[in-house]
Amino acid sequence: MSRFEAAIFDLDGVLVDSAKAHFAAWRRLADELGIRFTERDNEALKGVDRMGSLRMILDLGGRGFDETEMVALATRKNGYYLEAVAHMSPADQLPGAEDLVRSAKAAGLRCAVASASRNAPLLLDRAGLAPLFDYVADAGAVARGKPAPDIFLACSDALDAPPAACLAFEDAAAGIDAIIAAGMFAVGIGDPLVLGRARVVYRETAAVDLAALLSA
Ligand code: G6P
Ligand code: MG
C-alpha cells in the first residue's frame, strides 16, 4: 500500500496550458511600460502571485509606482489574461492532465489544487476539471504566497492528510520550494535544470508515472 493519501496539483503549467497566456499578458504590460521582459525572465515569475510578479517586472525595468498605480497595472494585466483565456475549453488541458487526476482518484488519493492564481476556479471550470477535485485552495486567503508552504498546507489541512502523505506536482521553481517547505513529496513538471530540487522531475504531465510515485 502507498504511503500517500492525497495528491495536490498546481494548475498553470501542470493541468492547464495557461502559463503562455500569463507570459503574454505580462509581456504586453511590460512592452507598454518600456520594460524588456523575456521568456527567461518569466521563468522566475511562475508560481508567484499577481502583485509579486508585477514587482519583479518593475524591478527589471528599475521602475517604481505607488500602491494605487500598482493595483491598476495588475488589474490591466489581469484584463489581458482574461481576454487570452476567454475561449479556454477542455482542449486546453495539458496532455495527460485529466488522466493523471483520474488515476490518482482511482488509486484512492484525495485531490486538491494549490494554485497562486485567483483565476483558478474559473480556469478549472472552463477546462472541465473542476468536478474532479475535493478541494481548491483560495489563493486570496493564504497569508504568504509560494515559495512559502501556506497554500500546500491549506490543501493538506482541507484534505485531512498529513504533509508527509501528500504528493504534490509543480512546474515552477517557487512551487517546488513551497512543497519542500511544506514537508511534502515534490514532483517537478518541466526542465530538470530549473526544478532540480524536486524529488522526481518529468518533462511533461503526460510523462508522469503515477504507479512509480505511489511506490516511492
Ligand atoms: C500562477 C502562475 C503565475 C501567476 C499567478 C497569479 O501561479 O504560475 O504566472 O502570476 O498564478 O495568477 P492570477 O491569475 O491570480 O493573476
Ligand atoms: Mg504553475
Side-chain angles (χ1 to χ4, degrees):
M1 231 194 87
S2 172
R3 66 184 163 109
F4 295 111
E5 296 173 26
I8 305 175
F9 300 86
D10 174 49
L11 177 64
D12 299 303
V14 171
L15 297 177
V16 171
D17 192 11
S18 51
K20 285 191 294 247
H22 276 295
F23 172 58
W26 282 126
R27 174 121 95 182
R28 186 165 161 193
L29 183 75
D31 282 350
E32 288 167 357
L33 296 173
I35 297 172
R36 196 180 122 78
F37 176 61
T38 65
E39 203 151 2
R40 190 144 180 269
D41 299 322
N42 185 61
E43 208 48 56
L45 264 62
K46 286 187 181 170
V48 176
D49 65 19
R50 199 179 302 168
M51 290 308 279
S53 300
L54 175 62
R55 270 184 223 107
M56 288 165 83
I57 290 172
L58 296 179
D59 282 353
L60 278 175
R63 302 283 296 276
F65 288 92
D66 69 29
E67 202 50 38
T68 316
E69 291 167 324
M70 297 260 295
V71 171
L73 290 172
T75 305
R76 202 201 296 175
K77 181 268 175 176
N78 195 49
Y80 297 157
Y81 177 71
L82 290 176
E83 256 176 51
V85 299
H87 302 293
M88 180 162 266
S89 74
D92 296 291
Q93 289 177 9
L94 282 167
E98 182 164 347
D99 270 3
L100 175 61
V101 182
R102 287 194 185 280
S103 305
K105 287 170 75 74
L109 304 181
R110 303 187 283 288
C111 293
V113 174
S115 170
S117 174
R118 291 166 193 241
N119 294 304
L122 174 81
L123 262 76
L124 284 168
D125 201 44
R126 294 241 171 99
L129 294 169
L132 296 180
F133 292 97
D134 300 295
Y135 180 71
V136 178
D138 176 358
V142 294
R144 299 168 304 168
K146 301 170 189 177
D150 303 28
I151 197 157
F152 286 96
L153 293 174
C155 290
S156 68
D157 261 10
L159 297 179
D160 197 22
C166 295
L167 257 184
F169 299 84
E170 259 290 351
D171 72 318
I176 295 295
D177 290 342
I179 296 169
I180 294 169
M184 299 176 182
F185 188 102
V187 183
I189 306 290
D191 184 345
L193 292 176
V194 176
L195 306 175
R197 288 185 293 277
R199 295 282 290 274
V200 183
V201 180
Y202 297 99
R203 282 273 169 195
E204 54 190 4
T205 305
V208 172
D209 182 347
L210 185 68
L213 290 172
L214 290 179
S215 58

